[in-house]
Amino acid sequence: MANAATILFEALSPMNLLLALLGVLGGTIVGALPGLSATMAIAVLVPFTFVMDPASGLIMLGAIYTGAIYGGAFAAILVNTPGTPSAIATTFDGYPMAKRGDGDLAVTLATIASVFGGMVGAILLITLAPRLATLALAFQSTEYFWLALLGLTLIATLSQGNLVKGLIGGMFGIFLSMIGVAVIGGDVRFTGGMPSMLGGIDIVAALIGLYCIPVLIGMVATPDQHLDPGEARGFRMFEAIGISLKNWFNLIRSSLIGTLVGILPGAGGSIASLIAYSEARRASSNSENFGKGEPGGILATESANNATVGGGFIPTLVLGIPGTPPDAVIMGALMVQGIRVGPSLFQSGDDTVYVFMTGLVIATLLMLPVGLIVGRYAFRFITNVPKAMLVPLIAFMTIIGSFAIHANPHDVVVMVVLGLIGWAAGLAGFGASPIVLGLVLGQIAEQGFMRAWMIGGARGDFLGQLLVNRPISWGILALIVLTMMLPLLRMRTARRLAQQDVTRDGPAVAHRQIDRAGMAGSVVFLVLAVWMLLQAQGLSVMAAAFPYAVGAVLGILSLLQILRSLRGHGGINAEGGSADGTVRGFALAGTMLAWALLFPTIGLFVTSLIACIVLMLTGQFGRLTVPRLATYLASILVMVTAFYMTLDRVLNVPLPQALLF
């Protein structure tokens, strides 16, 4: 291996710096647009890297990956829609901060945390990669099962409402992950006889729908501005630095958590950010402010999910086991360039991998200026654009984002339908985050469960394989129990304080109303659980074991919540799902559904123009003058044309053969 000065000199060459800057900028924009993932951007650009110098091409790909993970925070903060699954927990405090006029501060905090976490992950990748890779080998299928359950219990307890409702949402998300062909056994499950459901539900399409559609319905429900613009205070850098310094231990702890979780193939930034958020809340003296716009929550989630980038490259480079789809694409690019990943990579004398890792550090540092500038103008844009234009813009991005994933119109329909389900569930107090995490972690949990089932069944000791024989499993199980107990202790304390208020103020304070919406939702989930159990009877043993377990748990939790709702223990949905059933809201929902159903037949361009005009009128409050109407119509035409041409000519997404265009 050449000396460090030579590697640094090559990584800092003007061409590599330019490629890193362009990669970060492009990745940030891609990550901020729901549906346009880092995997898509990297996969599109991989062929162009084959004609570049190997190190330069890999630096650009790594920069795109880094920027895309960070870019997910923009949509999470400004629109309450995570651009990537790893930004789910960023919505908890980022969007409340933006709602009260601190969106610029939230974006700056996310940028600082992302740079810090990315630096920690990249430095540990360079210095300790071979040693940390052994940690990934210690985790087996059983540990991944418990790790997925840990993620679900964390999201349930952090949903700020009702623990039981959070767990029900997680079980519903796992049910969604089981639709299609079983991962083990190969049976077709829960498709309702529809061939289009054989491929299952795409995670990104579900994420867009469950988060975006309720926000859109909420936006047209009232004439109020989407976000409070507050005062024009610029980057608020010094204020953000001061907050970050006060949370220095939170940043370091969360970055280490992100790196360690990133090492585990398949775990990803969503679990890392949830664990980091949970730890930040547990250790904070302001724990009651988490979920209401606490800066420490943003610092925890963004430092953790960006640290997973460097952590994820550790098993990819050292063991040849990619932890995420972008890691797999970049590993393929390495192999095309003639670089063999594996334990001998760091002893092969090839400098390319070290130049690539150094370029990753440089790309992470470039996120600071790029993120601040993009974030400042993004916040101004979101706060200043009228609702009549913001609603069709966001709606159009949800349509093309969910379609561009697989160029499949079915994903668009699924996105809209799940969005409407998420809106209805939000009214009953069931948040979107547990559902999305259940979908994300469902296959990981099922694979771990079934492998333990097969190994334990062969040994005649399933419970031993699942619980006793693995010390790491015991540790994760202890964390799950602790995670479940803390909210219960808080509820007990709150109940004791409420009883004291009753004693002081009289029995009228103790009166609770029946949670009718929550009870209705629980009844629906109970019916779903019974249907799951009945459907599982027609499956093979291997394909039915996990649905039986999930259906039984979902049924028990639904019955428990029905009893709690009768006693008035409803809880709230604190994820910003305040949309009511106004006529405008139903008009938006009907327009989105008709759009999703008709564009494959009529054409994306024409249906998008018509739908955007209808949504523009839906989002318009007050008198609409002729000049303003002309401006809106011209803007819609430019917007639809630009995105349509980008899909068709730049990204080469195959559009459906329709009557029009």
Side-chain angles (χ1 to χ4, degrees):
M1 186 189 77
N3 58 52
T6 303
I7 293 172
L8 184 62
F9 180 79
E10 184 174 354
L12 289 173
S13 68
M15 177 57 70
N16 287 341
L17 282 176
L18 178 61
L19 291 174
L21 178 62
L22 293 176
V24 169
L25 178 60
T28 301
I29 295 173
V30 166
L33 299 176
L36 302 183
S37 64
T39 307
M40 176 189 297
I42 294 172
V44 169
L45 291 176
V46 158
F48 295 98
T49 65
F50 297 158
V51 297
M52 298 181 184
D53 177 75
S56 299
L58 293 171
I59 286 174
M60 186 175 185
L61 296 179
I64 293 171
Y65 184 18
T66 301
I69 296 297
Y70 160 65
F74 286 94
I77 292 170
L78 302 178
V79 197
N80 198 35
T81 302
T84 58
S86 60
I88 289 172
T90 307
T91 62
F92 296 167
D93 290 288
Y95 188 62
M97 286 187 68
K99 289 285 285 183
R100 69 179 185 222
D102 287 328
D104 47 1
L105 177 60
V107 169
T108 302
L109 287 171
T111 303
I112 292 174
S114 298
V115 172
F116 186 88
M119 287 295 295
V120 170
I123 291 172
L124 291 178
L125 167 66
I126 294 173
T127 56
L128 300 175
R131 297 176 185 176
L132 290 176
T134 58
L135 177 64
L137 296 177
F139 273 68
Q140 296 183 6
S141 56
T142 303
E143 282 76 29
Y144 280 105
F145 168 73
W146 290 114
L147 192 63
L149 288 191
L150 174 61
L152 290 174
T153 54
L154 285 173
I155 195 66
T157 57
L158 294 173
S159 58
Q160 296 289 314
N162 182 305
L163 173 63
V164 179
K165 284 185 176 180
L167 292 174
I168 290 174
M171 291 298 108
F172 176 60
I174 292 181
F175 159 73
L176 294 178
S177 74
M178 292 189 292
I179 294 176
V181 180
V183 292
I184 296 180
D187 294 45
V188 176
R189 303 180 300 191
F190 312 125
T191 61
M194 294 184 289
S196 59
M197 298 301 295
L198 289 174
I201 292 178
D202 183 81
I203 292 173
V204 179
L207 183 148
I208 295 171
L210 287 167
Y211 280 103
C212 257
I213 300 298
V215 170
L216 286 170
I217 295 176
M219 288 174 66
V220 300
T222 65
D224 299 335
Q225 198 163 359
H226 173 57
L227 297 178
D228 182 359
E231 302 176 11
R233 289 168 285 188
F235 298 122
R236 302 178 70 174
M237 176 60 78
F238 292 108
E239 186 179 354
I241 291 175
I243 294 173
S244 302
L245 291 175
K246 290 180 182 178
N247 286 266
W248 65 271
F249 188 72
N250 180 13
L251 279 171
I252 295 174
R253 177 186 57 219
S254 301
S255 300
L256 292 176
I257 289 173
T259 304
L260 294 176
V261 174
I263 293 170
L264 307 177
S270 52
I271 294 180
S273 59
L274 285 173
I275 295 176
Y277 186 89
S278 177
E279 279 300 299
R281 183 185 179 191
R282 180 192 59 79
S284 174
S285 58
N286 301 319
S287 59
E288 68 279 359
N289 293 333
F290 277 68
K292 303 174 184 177
E294 172 61 32
I298 296 178
L299 293 174
T301 59
E302 285 303 303
S303 57
N305 62 31
N306 281 271
T308 60
V309 175
F313 278 123
I314 292 175
T316 303
L317 298 178
V318 179
L319 303 175
I321 304 173
T324 62
D327 290 331
V329 176
I330 293 176
M331 188 179 78
L334 281 165
M335 298 175 69
V336 170
Q337 297 285 4
I339 301 170
R340 299 183 63 84
V341 297
S344 62
L345 175 64
F346 295 87
Q347 289 81 36
S348 63
D350 192 337
D351 300 334
T352 303
V353 67
Y354 286 99
V355 176
F356 164 61
M357 291 190 293
T358 306
L360 198 63
V361 174
I362 296 170
T364 303
L365 291 173
L366 288 173
M367 281 198 307
L368 187 61
V370 169
L372 290 176
I373 295 172
V374 172
R376 180 178 183 179
Y377 288 103
F379 178 62
R380 285 186 179 180
F381 177 80
I382 292 293
T383 54
N384 293 327
V385 171
K387 269 189 180 180
M389 285 304 301
L390 191 60
V391 170
L393 172 62
I394 296 175
F396 187 42
M397 288 170 55
T398 65
I399 295 291
I400 64 171
S402 53
F403 174 73
I405 303 167
H406 303 296
N408 187 354
H410 169 71
D411 288 336
V412 182
V413 177
V414 169
M415 181 273 294
V416 175
V417 171
L418 283 180
L420 298 178
I421 291 174
W423 170 67
L427 296 179
F430 298 91
S433 297
I435 300 174
V436 172
L437 258 296
L439 179 60
V440 171
L441 302 176
Q443 288 196 358
I444 298 175
E446 181 172 8
Q447 289 174 357
F449 181 87
M450 292 309 302
R451 286 170 182 166
W453 171 285
M454 290 186 290
I455 296 172
R459 297 175 177 174
D461 185 20
F462 168 62
L463 289 178
Q465 177 67 25
L466 197 63
L467 292 173
V468 181
N469 297 340
R470 301 287 302 171
I472 300 179
S473 297
W474 273 105
I476 301 176
L477 182 59
L479 287 175
I480 293 174
V481 173
L482 180 63
T483 301
M484 298 285 287
M485 291 301 296
L486 287 177
L488 295 177
L489 292 175
R490 291 195 189 100
M491 290 170 55
R492 188 172 182 179
T493 302
R495 193 177 297 119
R496 188 184 302 116
L497 294 174
Q499 289 175 351
Q500 293 175 0
D501 292 338
V502 169
T503 304
R504 184 174 63 252
D505 300 330
V509 179
H511 179 69
R512 290 179 179 269
Q513 294 183 347
I514 296 175
D515 176 24
R516 300 184 185 278
M519 185 168 63
S522 300
V523 170
V524 172
F525 285 121
L526 178 60
V527 172
L528 175 64
V530 173
W531 181 77
M532 285 176 59
L533 295 174
L534 293 175
Q535 290 289 310
Q537 294 179 2
L539 302 175
S540 65
V541 175
M542 298 302 297
F546 194 64
Y548 272 131
V550 174
V553 173
L554 179 59
I556 293 171
L557 290 172
S558 300
L559 286 172
L560 178 60
Q561 183 54 45
I562 290 173
L563 297 176
R564 289 174 57 81
S565 296
L566 289 172
R567 297 178 60 187
H569 298 289
I572 59 173
N573 173 19
E575 296 184 36
S578 58
D580 56 19
T582 63
V583 175
R584 291 174 183 261
F586 287 118
L588 182 141
T591 302
M592 294 290 292
L593 188 58
W595 192 358
L597 291 172
L598 294 177
F599 89 84
T601 303
I602 298 177
L604 179 61
F605 184 82
V606 173
T607 53
S608 297
L609 272 179
I610 297 172
C612 285
I613 293 172
V614 173
L615 294 178
M616 179 267 292
L617 297 173
T618 305
Q620 172 64 32
F621 290 85
R623 183 170 174 269
L624 184 61
T625 62
V626 174
R628 177 169 292 185
L629 175 61
T631 302
Y632 287 169
L633 292 176
S635 300
I636 288 174
L637 179 61
V638 171
M639 175 186 71
V640 172
T641 302
F643 277 105
Y644 181 86
M645 296 300 290
T646 301
L647 281 180
D648 188 34
R649 302 295 174 85
V650 179
L651 297 178
N652 293 318
V653 175
L655 299 176
Q657 297 295 321
L659 297 176
L660 302 174
F661 60 94

